Amino acid sequence: MAQTNNSNTLTLEKKRSLSPESTEEVRVLGIAEYEQAAQCLAEAFAVDEVARYFIDMEDMATYSEEYKWKMHCDILRYVTAAHCYKGIVTTIGPDYDAVALWMPPGKNMDDLWTILRSGMWRLWYKLSSEGKTRFYNEFLPLLHHTKHDIMGPRDDDSYYLVYLGSKPSARGKGYAKKLIEHMTARADLENRATYLESSAHSNMTYYEKYGFEQKIDIQLVRGPKPIKLHIMVREPQPVAESSKGKSGQSVRVGTL
């Protein structure tokens, strides 16, 4: 019977994963790497108004910035884990330099088993009273109903870019571009639309380059000032057209 040296195989796999070529390619992450992916998003969304919406409140005023940062990281850890279980988490770069969280057609992270495994249930106990109201009574219902209203019968038959972010040290390297192209190419092959909410108005022009069109703006209104989210949809494009000028293509939403 043939035998495999597991130690040598593991060493070989590690060497492959650290090669310069592989770090410039989009790869899909499993649950074993969710913390590294979440850390990238935590850095990318460190000052994002929507990400801070559940932390910067009057009933959290006495808490330290260190405590708030840990809360910020915890939220993204749970969300990232849930996408590893039920969605698609992609990354690129030598140190998880850019990460995207996708929810594919027919999938969601609302089932009890995913909530338990990912740690999402902990948010009920970690968020402040106002934080729970904002997250569970305003934010989640607003996003759910808006997506349903915009996509209609395609709501459960489209790709959803939930998060897309790059570490500050990795911006300008084209990583976000490759993450977008990787999944929109798949959506085009399947003739499916892609939906996103952008928390930064400045990113809308960027998304438009890849075929996204603004549909509507929505607002979170429980804070001192309204915070806008820009809803965008990309319709499927003919494969030949969508691949023009996209060298290196393999065939979020937030800070790029």
Side-chain angles (χ1 to χ4, degrees), residues 47-67:
V47 295
D48 181 80
E49 286 187 315
V50 175
R52 301 286 303 188
Y53 187 66
F54 315 106
I55 301 170
D56 293 332
M57 301 164 295
E58 288 187 6
D59 64 356
M60 290 279 287
T62 61
Y63 288 83
S64 67
E65 281 302 316
E66 181 181 3
Y67 181 90

Side-chain angles (χ1 to χ4, degrees), residues 127-179:
L127 291 171
S128 69
S129 177
E130 174 63 16
K132 284 196 283 280
T133 299
R134 291 185 181 191
F135 190 76
Y136 293 106
N137 296 348
E138 182 188 19
F139 180 71
L140 291 182
L142 178 62
L143 265 56
H144 174 80
H145 294 309
T146 301
K147 184 171 180 287
H148 178 75
D149 290 344
I150 295 297
M151 299 307 292
R154 300 187 298 172
D155 186 21
D156 200 39
D157 192 34
S158 55
Y159 283 88
Y160 184 8
L161 176 53
V162 182
Y163 274 96
L164 171 64
S166 302
K167 292 180 177 179
S169 59
R171 290 171 193 165
K173 296 184 179 180
Y175 288 152
K177 172 180 181 289
K178 289 186 177 181
L179 290 178

Side-chain angles (χ1 to χ4, degrees), residues 6 19 51 85 100 106 108 153 159 173 183 186-187 195 204 214 220 225:
N6 292 331
S19 67
Y85 285 125
N108 65 68
Y159 283 88
K173 296 184 179 180
M183 197 59 67
R186 176 172 170 174
Y195 178 98
M204 293 176 63
Q214 182 186 12
L220 301 169
K225 64 175 183 178

Side-chain angles (χ1 to χ4, degrees), residues 54-154:
F54 315 106
I55 301 170
D56 293 332
M57 301 164 295
E58 288 187 6
D59 64 356
M60 290 279 287
T62 61
Y63 288 83
S64 67
E65 281 302 316
E66 181 181 3
Y67 181 90
K68 291 179 180 180
W69 172 253
K70 185 179 184 303
M71 176 73 75
H72 170 71
C73 292
D74 283 346
I75 292 172
L76 287 165
R77 284 176 58 243
Y78 304 149
V79 172
T80 301
H83 281 79
C84 284
Y85 285 125
K86 294 301 291 284
I88 302 172
V89 179
T90 57
T91 190
I92 190 171
D95 190 26
Y96 306 88
D97 292 295
V99 168
L101 306 186
W102 301 85
M103 195 56 68
K107 299 288 186 178
N108 65 68
M109 48 182 270
D110 300 333
D111 62 286
L112 180 60
W113 184 225
T114 300
I115 292 171
L116 291 174
R117 289 197 297 172
S118 66
M120 286 294 294
W121 62 272
R122 292 186 173 94
L123 288 181
W124 181 257
Y125 300 97
K126 290 192 173 186
L127 291 171
S128 69
S129 177
E130 174 63 16
K132 284 196 283 280
T133 299
R134 291 185 181 191
F135 190 76
Y136 293 106
N137 296 348
E138 182 188 19
F139 180 71
L140 291 182
L142 178 62
L143 265 56
H144 174 80
H145 294 309
T146 301
K147 184 171 180 287
H148 178 75
D149 290 344
I150 295 297
M151 299 307 292
R154 300 187 298 172

